[in-house]
Amino acid sequence: MPLRVAVQMDPLEKISISGDSTFAIMLKGQELGHTIDYYAPEDLSWAEGRLWTMGYPVTVQQVEGDHYRFGEPRILDLHRDVDVVLMRQDPPFDLGYITATHLLERIQGETLVVNDPASVRDAPEKLWVLDFAHFMPPTAITRSLGLARKFLAEHGEIVIKPLHGFAGGSVFRIGGDGRNLASLMELFNRTYREPHVLQKFLPEIAAGDKRIVLVDGEVAGAVNRVPGEGEIRSNLAVGGKAAKTELTDEEQEICAVLGPECRRRRLLFVGIDVIGGRWLTEINVTSPTGIVAIDKFNGTDTPGLIWDAIERRLSRKE
C-alpha cells in the first residue's frame, strides 16, 4: 500500500549513495510507490499540541552528484500528514538527538516511528549491549585511571573508545606496557563528560568485525568488515573492506536471544557487531548501516524487508 513517509536524516547532499543505507531504503520506498518528504531533526517544532516540521518532497535516483530533487517545501503535521517517520540521522547521541526522541515519542499513537524513539533513547549502542554481557569480551565503563590500569594489567592489551562514539571514531589500542594510557584517559576525561569504554583487545579483529542486520528481530544478512593495513578499526567509514560471510553457530545463538528483545522494544532495524564469530561488542539502533554491502554480496533485498516489516506494523495498528 502507498505510504506517506517522512525521513529525518542528515543533509542529503553529504551522503555517499554507493553505500548509504538510508538512501537505499528511500530508493526502495519510492519504487513501491510511497511518497517521501525529507526534513532535518533541528526543524522539528512543537506547537498547538502537535509536532510540526518543514518537509521537502523528495525524489531520489542512483546518480552520483544528482541523486535527489526537492519539491516545494511544505509544513507537515507529523501526527496527521504522514504514516511513518524514519528516524535516520547519524549520531552523535547528544542532547539534540535525545530531544528529538522525546518529541517524536509524542506522535507514536498516530504515526509509526522507526525505530521507536523511546527505545532508541533507552538503548545506546555501547550500554544496552551490557544486558547481554555473557556474549561480550571483558569490558569496563569508567573515567577512573586506576580502574583502567587494573583492567589493562588483567587483560594485557585493551581498546579504549568513547561511550557514545560512532563510525569507528577515536578508538585506540593500548599495549601491555600501558604507554599513553594515562594521557588518553586524561584526554578522554577532558573531552567527554560521560565514562569511556575499555575492552580486552581481541586479536581476532584482524580477520574482521561482522555486522549482522536484524529486521523485526529476524536475521536479514551479514557482512564482514576487514580492517585496513595497520588498523584495528574495521568500520567501512574509516577504510575497512567489506567481505562476504556466513553466521557461526555462536552468532546465530546471539541473534536468537536478541531478536525477541528487538521486537519487544519495537526496534525494527538493528545492526549488531560481532568479532571472532562469538564476541558481541555493540548493538546499533540509532542509524544502523551495512545493508548495501550485505545485499551486494548476497543478492538480497534488505530495504524490501524493512518496508514489509513497516507495513506489518501499520496493519497491526489499524
Side-chain angles (χ1 to χ4, degrees), residues 49 51 57 61 96 112 115 117-118 126 166 173 196 208 210 216 242 261:
L51 187 60
Q61 59 181 359
L112 176 66
N115 283 322
K126 299 176 183 68
F166 62 100
R173 176 182 176 182
H196 328 300
K210 196 173 297 185
D216 208 14
E261 271 300 300

Side-chain angles (χ1 to χ4, degrees), residues 79-97:
H79 293 256
R80 295 173 176 168
D81 295 339
V82 299
D83 301 302
V84 58
V85 170
L86 302 182
M87 187 177 180
R88 290 290 304 170
Q89 84 268 22
D90 289 336
F93 192 74
D94 56 12
L95 282 175
Y97 206 112

Side-chain angles (χ1 to χ4, degrees), residues 22 40 53 58 68 72 82 100 109 112 125 159 199 217 228 257 277 316:
T22 306
T53 192
V58 63
Y68 72 97
E72 288 297 315
V82 299
L112 176 66
E125 337 280 37
V159 168
Q199 284 186 327
V257 171
R316 291 200 290 267

Side-chain angles (χ1 to χ4, degrees), residues 185-230:
M185 286 295 291
E186 179 182 329
L187 176 63
F188 273 42
N189 283 346
R190 286 180 178 175
T191 304
Y192 309 106
R193 296 184 64 185
E194 63 273 11
H196 328 300
V197 180
L198 308 177
Q199 284 186 327
K200 178 182 178 180
F201 173 71
L202 302 174
E204 299 100 311
I205 188 62
D209 175 4
K210 196 173 297 185
R211 163 58 57 88
I212 305 170
V213 167
L214 303 177
V215 174
D216 208 14
E218 301 293 334
V219 175
V223 63
N224 197 35
R225 303 170 298 180
V226 182
E229 186 174 353

Side-chain angles (χ1 to χ4, degrees), residues 30-51:
Q30 184 175 273
E31 177 188 320
L32 293 170
H34 305 327
T35 60
I36 302 174
D37 278 79
Y38 160 89
Y39 75 92
E42 56 267 26
D43 291 335
L44 287 171
S45 297
W46 176 265
E48 301 172 352
R50 311 195 73 75
L51 187 60

Side-chain angles (χ1 to χ4, degrees), residues 135 210 246-256 277-278:
F135 293 128
K210 196 173 297 185
E246 303 290 339
L247 298 192
T248 65
D249 290 344
E250 292 90 342
E251 288 164 342
Q252 290 174 357
E253 180 186 356
I254 291 170
C255 294
R278 64 190 182 106

Side-chain angles (χ1 to χ4, degrees), residues 35-310:
T35 60
I36 302 174
D37 278 79
Y38 160 89
Y39 75 92
E42 56 267 26
D43 291 335
L44 287 171
S45 297
W46 176 265
E48 301 172 352
R50 311 195 73 75
L51 187 60
W52 311 84
T53 192
M54 182 64 74
Y56 295 82
V58 63
T59 57
V60 290
Q61 59 181 359
Q62 194 79 51
V63 179
E64 192 70 53
D66 187 23
H67 54 280
Y68 72 97
R69 300 281 173 86
F70 282 151
E72 288 297 315
R74 55 188 177 181
I75 296 175
L76 293 177
D77 176 349
L78 293 180
H79 293 256
R80 295 173 176 168
D81 295 339
V82 299
D83 301 302
V84 58
V85 170
L86 302 182
M87 187 177 180
R88 290 290 304 170
Q89 84 268 22
D90 289 336
F93 192 74
D94 56 12
L95 282 175
Y97 206 112
I98 291 169
T99 299
T101 68
H102 281 292
L103 291 172
L104 288 171
E105 191 176 0
R106 295 179 177 275
I107 67 172
Q108 276 285 64
E110 299 170 75
T111 303
L112 176 66
V113 183
V114 177
N115 283 322
D116 179 86
S119 291
V120 167
R121 185 176 64 245
D122 293 343
E125 337 280 37
K126 299 176 183 68
L127 285 175
W128 183 33
V129 68
L130 299 177
D131 287 359
F132 309 96
H134 56 294
F135 293 128
M136 296 178 65
T139 299
I141 311 288
T142 188
R143 292 173 61 87
S144 166
L145 176 58
L147 178 55
R149 283 174 168 155
K150 180 176 183 292
F151 190 79
L152 176 64
E154 289 175 355
H155 299 293
E157 285 187 274
I158 64 173
V159 168
I160 178 172
K161 53 189 175 181
L163 184 64
H164 296 302
F166 62 100
S170 302
V171 178
F172 295 90
R173 176 182 176 182
I174 303 293
D177 59 6
R179 187 177 300 173
N180 293 325
L181 176 60
S183 295
L184 273 175
M185 286 295 291
E186 179 182 329
L187 176 63
F188 273 42
N189 283 346
R190 286 180 178 175
T191 304
Y192 309 106
R193 296 184 64 185
E194 63 273 11
H196 328 300
V197 180
L198 308 177
Q199 284 186 327
K200 178 182 178 180
F201 173 71
L202 302 174
E204 299 100 311
I205 188 62
D209 175 4
K210 196 173 297 185
R211 163 58 57 88
I212 305 170
V213 167
L214 303 177
V215 174
D216 208 14
E218 301 293 334
V219 175
V223 63
N224 197 35
R225 303 170 298 180
V226 182
E229 186 174 353
E231 268 283 2
I232 62 167
R233 302 176 300 171
S234 58
N235 305 70
L236 302 184
V238 294
K241 302 297 183 185
K244 186 176 174 61
T245 190
E246 303 290 339
L247 298 192
T248 65
D249 290 344
E250 292 90 342
E251 288 164 342
Q252 290 174 357
E253 180 186 356
I254 291 170
C255 294
V257 171
L258 263 60
E261 271 300 300
C262 292
R263 286 191 292 271
R264 186 180 70 82
R265 291 174 177 250
R266 299 181 300 278
L267 294 168
L268 190 144
F269 179 13
V270 172
I272 69 172
D273 296 337
V274 181
I275 296 175
R278 64 190 182 106
W279 297 112
L280 177 66
T281 59
E282 292 187 18
I283 307 173
N284 297 273
V285 304
T286 50
S287 183
T289 62
I291 63 175
V292 174
I294 287 171
D295 289 346
K296 175 183 175 183
F297 286 118
N298 298 335
T300 47
D301 179 15
T302 305
L305 295 177
I306 291 169
W307 285 114
D308 287 346
I310 287 171

